[in-house]
Amino acid sequence: MDQTLVAALDPLDAAAGLSVVVGVSVNASLADHRNWPAYPERRREMFRLYGPVRDAFPEAGYLLLILASATIGALTVVGEHQSGLIRATFAAVPARRAVVAAKAAVLAGVMLVFGTVTAATSFWVSQAILADRGAGWSIGEPGVLRAVAASAVLVPVCALVGMGLGALTRHAAGAVAAATSVLVLVPMTVDSDEHRWIAELYNALPLTAWLRLIEVHPDVLNPDPYPATVTGSWLTLATWSLTATLTAITLTHHRDP
């Protein structure tokens, strides 16, 4: 396995990240479980339409996961550049495109496994907590498997975005700052309700795509006048992954190590 990835994704750090994300999910689920007897029937009906997936994949926990994934992706490139090891790597394997493509493949594979474990654990633990209130969902209900899959895929997508930004900036702090802006700050500050062109840009962001894919009933809360589609959201995640990988490959090939 790529040594820079091994260094970036320390097992203890991965376990800590998993614990944080699952912990946020458990906390949200326990709060609803505890407060369930006080919920009026109308609120219970609404909760059953969107609450279980919100508890399984709370935005706060996944924002942290997004930033952690992007940072790991950036370090797979920046680490070698800052240490000078990239020159030794290219001396041993002159085919730069192949080296970067292999890095991207390893990064995506490892982060997909991590994302899958995190998403699956968050989902099943949260639904087990909600089950005795009659509010939990099973994986077979419409849209639920999509939500779990999207939450797993989001992790490698953000890692590849971080890798692309790392290749662009060649500086850890710069790459993390850029990833924070693109992946978190911009989608959280853009108002997409008034103009279609702004909504289209907003819907083309990874965070927005993920939020759409985990919504089983997207029109229940705050209906969007310009909603993203499920197909478009999957394409958004794929496009960001491909663009980031090609950016890393192209920049590394044409620039001096």
Side-chain angles (χ1 to χ4, degrees):
M1 184 182 291
D2 191 313
Q3 293 303 308
T4 56
L5 181 56
V6 172
L9 189 60
D10 182 88
L12 291 177
D13 291 339
L18 174 64
S19 299
V20 169
V21 176
V22 175
V24 175
S25 175
V26 168
N27 184 65
S29 303
L30 287 174
D32 283 314
H33 182 278
R34 181 174 59 252
N35 296 325
W36 188 263
Y39 288 167
E41 187 58 34
R42 175 59 179 165
R43 181 167 182 178
R44 293 185 184 186
E45 292 175 0
M46 291 292 290
F47 181 88
R48 291 188 179 99
L49 293 176
Y50 69 87
V53 77
R54 294 288 184 91
D55 283 355
F57 310 115
E59 192 170 335
Y62 268 79
L63 289 177
L64 294 175
L65 187 58
I66 285 170
L67 294 178
S69 302
T71 300
I72 291 170
L75 290 177
T76 61
V77 173
V78 173
E80 279 194 312
H81 278 288
Q82 292 186 337
S83 66
L85 289 175
I86 193 69
R87 295 184 180 88
T89 298
F90 288 152
V93 185
R96 296 185 182 186
R97 292 190 184 95
V99 170
V100 180
K103 281 178 174 289
V106 172
L107 175 66
V110 172
M111 297 306 286
L112 179 59
V113 171
F114 178 66
T116 300
V117 171
T118 302
T121 304
S122 294
F123 176 77
W124 271 294
V125 171
S126 64
Q127 303 316 298
I129 293 172
L130 296 171
D132 70 340
R133 298 297 192 189
W137 283 349
S138 72
I139 193 68
E141 295 188 39
V144 173
L145 180 59
R146 183 189 70 220
V148 176
S151 299
V153 168
L154 180 68
V155 176
V157 170
C158 294
L160 290 173
V161 171
M163 183 180 184
L165 292 172
L168 178 64
T169 63
R170 294 190 178 184
H171 191 277
V176 172
T180 301
S181 298
V182 172
L183 297 174
V184 176
L185 296 181
V186 172
M188 291 185 68
T189 56
V190 170
D191 183 358
S192 61
D193 291 340
E194 294 187 7
H195 303 287
R196 177 175 288 277
W197 69 271
I198 296 179
E200 295 296 339
L201 293 176
Y202 174 74
N203 291 339
L205 296 171
L207 178 61
T208 311
W210 171 69
L211 289 172
R212 172 61 185 90
L213 291 170
I214 68 170
E215 288 295 345
V216 177
H217 301 284
D219 298 326
V220 172
L221 290 178
N222 302 320
D224 192 332
Y226 309 110
T229 65
V230 170
T231 300
S233 296
W234 283 120
L235 289 175
T236 293
L237 296 180
T239 299
W240 276 91
S241 300
L242 180 60
T243 301
T245 302
L246 291 177
T247 297
I249 291 172
T250 302
L251 291 176
T252 304
H253 178 71
H254 288 291
R255 294 162 67 180
D256 293 331

